[in-house]
Amino acid sequence: MEITWLGHSAFIVKGMNSIVIDPFLTDNPSASTTPDKVSCDIVCVTHGHGDHVGDAVAIAKKNNAKILTMVELASHFEKAGCEAIGFNIGGSVTVGNTKVTMTQAVHSCGADAPGLEGGAGVPAGFVIESGKTVYHAGDTALFGDMALIGMLHPLDVALLPIGGFYTMDAVQAAKAVEMLKPKIAVPMHYNTWPPIKADPEQFKLEVSKVSKAQVRILKPGESFSI
Ligand code: NI
Ligand code: MN
């Protein structure tokens, strides 16, 4: 499996299928690519905030990709002309050879992307099983039931917000790693804008105190393989 950080919370995961998560590229000051260059089979959207919905509609349409997201948000994508599968926290969907399970996230959620105004259910994260197993936490505070996510799904990789202000910070995210027990932890959702300024080296240091997980600090556009 190859994982590429596109900046902010956007990743491309190439496992048994090609999955893009939270593809916020247009107007993202940290974006490493543009929507027209993204190819994928599946688009996962954690919640309705604009910095996560991003270019999901354009990317899904161009690739004939299915959008996997919260049931209320899925209806917005369907109205926008996309093929969306709406499910809910605790449930799983299999597309191709990839199984996606929706997990809890502790956050708020409107649907503030253009054309997606209105209710969007609640925010979520995803466990993506596509050869290897990756957890994308979405936007979330630290919560104790992350231990259950790690217990149910032995994780190869955890993608975790560390920027603070809207989500958990680097110290809290290290506690998340302690509970999730992934082999590799990757920080995200930091340094895109001044309010979420954070030092990924602090995250790495804090993780080393509580976990054997390897921390991979990526630059936008950078990939690694597992
Ligand atoms: Ni958000
Ligand atoms: Mn966000």
Side-chain angles (χ1 to χ4, degrees), residues 12 21 29 32 35 41 46-47 54 71 76 79 81 85 135 147 149 152 173 177 183 186 204-205 214 216:
I12 292 185
I21 310 156
S32 66
D41 309 305
T46 60
H47 65 293
V71 61
H76 291 287
K79 280 181 208 143
I85 301 177
Y135 169 54
I149 296 172
L152 284 168
V177 174
K183 292 190 181 110
V186 178
K204 191 171 187 172
L205 177 67
Q214 182 193 353
R216 296 293 299 255

Side-chain angles (χ1 to χ4, degrees), residues 29-83:
S30 70
S32 66
T33 189
T34 50
D36 54 298
K37 294 197 181 74
V38 173
S39 64
C40 62
D41 309 305
I42 299 166
V43 180
C44 291
V45 179
T46 60
H47 65 293
H49 286 154
D51 61 316
H52 297 262
V53 172
D55 301 289
V57 169
I59 290 170
K61 283 184 179 174
K62 180 178 86 82
N63 291 285
N64 283 321
K66 289 185 172 64
I67 299 180
L68 271 52
T69 193
M70 176 56 63
V71 61
E72 288 85 359
L73 192 51
S75 69
H76 291 287
F77 285 121
E78 281 164 358
K79 280 181 208 143
C82 299
E83 189 181 346

Side-chain angles (χ1 to χ4, degrees), residues 92-95 97-101 127-130:
S92 299
V93 168
T94 299
V95 176
N97 295 307
T98 299
K99 183 179 176 186
V100 178
T101 301
V127 173
I128 297 168
E129 295 168 76
S130 191

Side-chain angles (χ1 to χ4, degrees), residues 8 51-52 139 189:
H8 202 56
D51 61 316
H52 297 262
D139 277 359
H189 209 272

Side-chain angles (χ1 to χ4, degrees), residues 125-147:
F126 295 109
V127 173
I128 297 168
E129 295 168 76
S130 191
K132 302 282 185 178
T133 302
V134 182
Y135 169 54
H136 187 295
D139 277 359
T140 187
L142 181 64
F143 57 93
D145 283 352
M146 283 180 178

